[in-house]
Amino acid sequence: MFRSPDLPPPTRGARTFFLWRALPLALLAAALAATESLPVGLAVLAASLGIGVLALREQDRLAREVEQHRLDAARLRDYTDLATDWHWETDAALRLQYSRAEGHLASALDQRAVRNRRLWEINALSPVHGDWEECHRQFQSGKSLQLHLVLHRPDGVVRHIELRGRPITDGSGQLCGYRGTGRDETAFVQSTRALREVETRHREMVNHLREVIFRIDARGRFTYLNRAWETLTGQPVNQAIGQRILRWLSKDEARYLLARLEPMLDGRRDSMQIEVRTGTGSASARWLEIAIGARFDGHGKLESLSGSIEDITQRKQAEATLYDMNAELERRVKRRTAELEASNRELEAFSYSVSHDLRNPLRAIDGFSQIILEDYGDQLDAQAHSHLARIRAASQKLSTLIDDLLELGRLTRTPISRAEVDLSALARAIMRDLRAESPEREGKLAIGMHLMARVDPMLASVLLEHLLRNAWTFTAGRETAEIEFDARLRNREVVFHIRDNGIGFDMAHAAQLFKPFNRLHDQSDRSGTGIGLATVQRIVNRHGGRIWAEGAPDKGACFYFTLPDPTH
């Protein structure tokens, strides 16, 4: 075992020796006295018993001291074993005479491997820094020593050892050797190195940031700055450390900054973000954004401030430019709005003119043509009747076209008032009217249940009127017209569709479907003005939706459209 300083063993002493030697003599004296006189013998016997009691008490005290000595020795041994990994002792020539190592040091520093060898003679040991000169100096001083050594184990693993020792002297004070311990501090060294590496990487990362990272003590003096400070101010960091932050601000700027920081300095807030303008009125004026936090001690007293400083001058300039652009845009919008309102008023005046000034000649043409047919019809031949019929049909068609154009213009200007509309009920009502117009036709209608949309009710009616009438018209040549109105969910979007089995169209001309006056079929075959689908597209667009069509010649057509709810 490691030979720690010995505890003094308990000794019997003169008192214990006398008591145990006097007890037999006292008993003998009591027996002799009893032969001469019984009272005297009893007195001497009582004295003998007292001596015996004292001897027993002394023996019990001595036993307790021995047990306490054993416990103290065991405790000291355990403390020593737990506190160190290597116990060693040298002679006066500094050769190791005792060595007991445990754990990772056991194989390289056991008794057999190092006995009669000095520390510097052990090949596996070397100082952490430099050579053995420091070790020699400490040993020669004859005082307590402390060394940091490196142990190179046979398996290639390196262990770090903290060596401590005290001199051993004889009664005359002569040095007899050293006795000490070694502690495996490899884990501590590795964690310290890892911490240094983390600190180094952290410092490098912080120094590469564009923002200034700072720390200020309770007196307002810089205690840390990264290299971004040099970019911001043009001054070396070492010159700023220890200087007050207010030194770089004018009086007004410093007063403003202190006023903004007051809620944090008095403990009401622990962090803030402040924008400060420096160098006001100069060419080097800058905007700085300061994010700062406070740290307080256990008594609520301010310890330090830390945070970042970012140069936001370019952002502020961009914001000012954007503000000017927005102001100019608002002016342009107001001017264009005024122009649009004036154009709308002119359009309304034009619509009024068309509605009244153009309708009157058309009515006159149609009316006088009818009068001629009624009054002079028996005097006209068949060709004249045909010409007059064509005149009346053309005037009536032109009147219908004017009505459609007026409706298209009105739909563009009418404000949208959205409400929840049952498109299924609206479609059924429209189809009832269409069937009433052509009761002789057979039709198979499929309308989905409860097709709801948040739309303008009047515009929705016009939309379905045009699409359903279109389907009804272009299925006139079928024995049984098949028309379907339903909706499907596609990519989280409700898509309505109206499908028919009519004459269809060529997809190569699909782009012309929604243009005014563009018709893909012979105008002599079907009625209409070519405005209906343009009106439909205008209504869908005003609701923020989309409309498209698919079809094939003589295989029917399908119109798809969406009516999104802006509240969703």
Side-chain angles (χ1 to χ4, degrees):
M1 288 296 294
F2 170 62
R3 288 172 285 183
S4 58
D6 295 329
L7 294 174
T11 60
R12 290 189 176 186
R15 179 180 177 182
T16 304
F17 179 80
F18 170 77
L19 289 174
W20 285 108
R21 292 294 183 272
L23 181 60
L25 295 176
L27 292 175
L28 180 60
L32 293 175
T35 60
E36 297 293 334
S37 174
L38 184 59
V40 174
L42 292 175
V44 174
L45 179 60
S48 299
L49 292 176
I51 293 173
V53 170
L54 290 176
L56 290 175
R57 289 181 178 176
E58 185 66 19
Q59 185 178 6
D60 183 62
R61 183 188 64 80
L62 182 60
R64 288 197 302 270
E65 288 183 0
V66 171
E67 179 64 19
Q68 185 63 41
H69 178 271
R70 187 186 65 78
L71 292 176
D72 291 343
R75 185 180 296 113
L76 178 61
R77 183 171 59 253
D78 290 341
Y79 288 161
T80 304
D81 290 342
L82 292 171
T84 186
D85 301 291
W86 179 28
H87 307 147
W88 57 272
E89 186 176 322
T90 71
D91 57 15
L94 303 181
R95 294 185 179 88
L96 289 168
Q97 299 302 316
Y98 174 80
S99 177
R100 185 172 68 85
E102 298 177 352
H104 297 286
L105 311 182
S107 60
L109 297 176
D110 62 6
Q111 181 85 356
R112 290 174 297 177
V114 300
R115 184 174 176 79
N116 291 324
R117 300 174 67 180
R118 297 180 178 89
L119 291 178
W120 50 87
E121 294 174 350
I122 301 174
N123 295 330
L125 280 180
S126 62
V128 173
H129 304 292
D131 51 24
W132 288 99
E133 182 179 353
E134 176 64 20
C135 177
H136 295 159
R137 187 187 63 77
Q138 292 195 34
F139 273 119
Q140 291 171 3
S141 68
K143 298 179 181 180
S144 297
L145 58 86
Q146 180 178 3
L147 297 171
H148 292 279
L149 306 177
V150 176
L151 174 66
H152 300 272
R153 295 196 329 182
D155 57 3
V157 177
V158 176
R159 310 299 298 184
H160 292 263
I161 303 173
E162 181 189 35
L163 190 75
R164 291 177 179 269
R166 290 181 180 179
I168 306 173
T169 57
D170 57 15
S172 62
Q174 292 296 321
L175 181 67
C176 299
Y178 268 86
R179 178 186 297 149
T181 61
R183 183 168 62 90
D184 188 345
E185 58 176 5
T186 305
F188 173 76
V189 171
Q190 291 174 346
S191 62
T192 302
R193 288 179 177 175
L195 181 60
R196 288 200 191 101
E197 292 177 1
V198 171
E199 290 178 348
T200 301
R201 288 196 297 268
H202 175 72
R203 189 178 297 107
E204 291 175 352
M205 291 172 59
V206 170
N207 281 330
H208 284 88
L209 292 175
R210 292 182 298 176
E211 296 84 3
V212 175
I213 307 299
F214 67 89
R215 185 170 58 248
I216 304 173
D217 60 19
R219 296 179 299 172
R221 302 179 186 276
F222 284 118
T223 59
Y224 175 79
L225 286 166
N226 65 340
R227 283 202 294 262
W229 173 262
E230 299 178 358
T231 304
L232 180 66
T233 63
Q235 299 179 357
V237 170
N238 56 4
Q239 293 183 7
I241 298 297
Q243 300 294 327
R244 294 175 62 86
I245 185 175
L246 299 181
R247 174 185 175 185
W248 280 268
L249 302 174
S250 66
K251 292 183 178 180
D252 293 337
E253 295 165 353
R255 192 179 300 112
Y256 170 77
L257 180 60
L258 291 175
R260 291 295 308 276
L261 291 176
E262 184 177 355
M264 188 172 61
L265 297 177
D266 60 15
R268 286 179 288 166
R269 297 184 61 179
D270 56 2
S271 63
M272 296 186 69
Q273 190 165 323
I274 307 169
E275 292 183 356
V276 180
R277 189 177 185 183
T278 63
T280 306
S282 65
S284 59
R286 290 181 177 180
W287 277 97
L288 303 179
E289 183 179 71
I290 304 176
I292 189 169
R295 182 175 182 178
F296 300 90
D297 60 16
H299 303 287
K301 185 178 179 181
L302 181 66
E303 280 189 350
S304 63
L305 300 173
S306 59
S308 63
I309 304 175
E310 182 180 2
D311 188 347
I312 58 172
T313 305
Q314 293 184 354
R315 190 179 77 189
K316 284 293 185 179
Q317 292 173 349
E319 289 177 356
T321 302
L322 183 61
Y323 177 81
D324 294 340
M325 293 176 63
N326 287 337
E328 176 62 23
L329 182 60
E330 288 181 3
R331 288 192 294 269
R332 292 183 180 182
V333 168
K334 289 180 180 179
R335 184 168 62 251
R336 294 294 300 273
T337 301
E339 294 174 355
L340 183 60
E341 290 176 350
S343 176
N344 285 337
R345 287 194 294 270
E346 292 176 0
L347 183 59
E348 290 177 359
F350 173 74
S351 299
Y352 180 82
S353 175
V354 169
S355 178
H356 293 79
D357 297 347
L358 294 182
R359 285 179 186 274
N360 290 335
L362 290 175
R363 290 195 190 98
I365 294 172
D366 184 44
F368 283 112
S369 297
Q370 184 177 2
I371 292 173
I372 292 173
L373 288 173
E374 292 176 354
D375 295 346
Y376 306 98
D378 54 349
Q379 301 178 19
L380 301 175
D381 56 12
Q383 187 175 5
H385 277 275
S386 175
H387 290 333
L388 288 174
R390 294 177 64 183
I391 290 173
R392 291 196 63 197
S395 63
Q396 291 171 2
K397 187 171 184 178
L398 181 58
S399 179
T400 303
L401 179 60
I402 292 173
D403 291 338
D404 291 344
L405 287 173
L406 290 175
E407 181 186 27
L408 182 61
R410 180 176 59 82
L411 293 176
T412 304
R413 302 188 304 272
T414 302
I416 293 179
S417 178
R418 290 180 182 263
E420 200 72 20
V421 176
D422 187 349
L423 299 183
S424 298
L426 194 59
R428 282 192 289 269
I430 294 173
M431 289 307 302
R432 280 196 300 269
D433 294 339
L434 292 175
R435 279 189 160 186
E437 294 177 4
S438 306
E440 74 283 357
R441 290 186 55 184
E442 293 291 335
K444 182 180 179 181
L445 307 179
I447 298 177
M449 300 295 293
H450 304 296
L451 302 179
M452 307 299 293
R454 188 172 179 78
V455 293
D456 186 289
M458 187 271 292
L459 296 181
S461 178
V462 175
L463 168 69
L464 293 180
E465 169 77 24
H466 282 293
L467 289 177
L468 291 174
R469 184 174 291 276
N470 221 41
W472 184 252
T473 299
F474 289 100
T475 56
R478 303 304 186 192
E479 182 178 351
T480 300
E482 296 180 3
I483 299 176
E484 175 188 333
F485 174 43
D486 210 334
R488 297 288 185 274
L489 188 63
R490 296 183 180 179
N491 299 325
R492 298 184 180 182
E493 183 181 36
V494 178
V495 179
F496 299 93
H497 67 265
I498 294 180
R499 181 179 291 108
D500 63 63
N501 64 337
I503 62 175
F505 63 90
D506 188 351
M507 286 294 292
H509 306 293
Q512 302 178 15
L513 278 175
F514 303 101
K515 294 181 179 180
F517 309 115
N518 278 308
R519 303 184 64 188
L520 303 185
H521 306 97
D522 186 359
Q523 296 189 19
S524 62
D525 295 340
R526 303 287 182 264
S527 61
T529 60
I531 300 296
L533 290 180
T535 302
V536 168
Q537 186 185 49
R538 190 71 56 86
I539 294 174
V540 172
N541 290 343
R542 291 205 64 192
H543 283 83
R546 299 174 294 117
I547 184 168
W548 67 98
E550 296 177 357
D554 204 38
K555 292 184 180 181
C558 185
F559 286 83
Y560 300 91
F561 60 94
T562 62
L563 299 170
D565 186 352
T567 60
H568 295 162

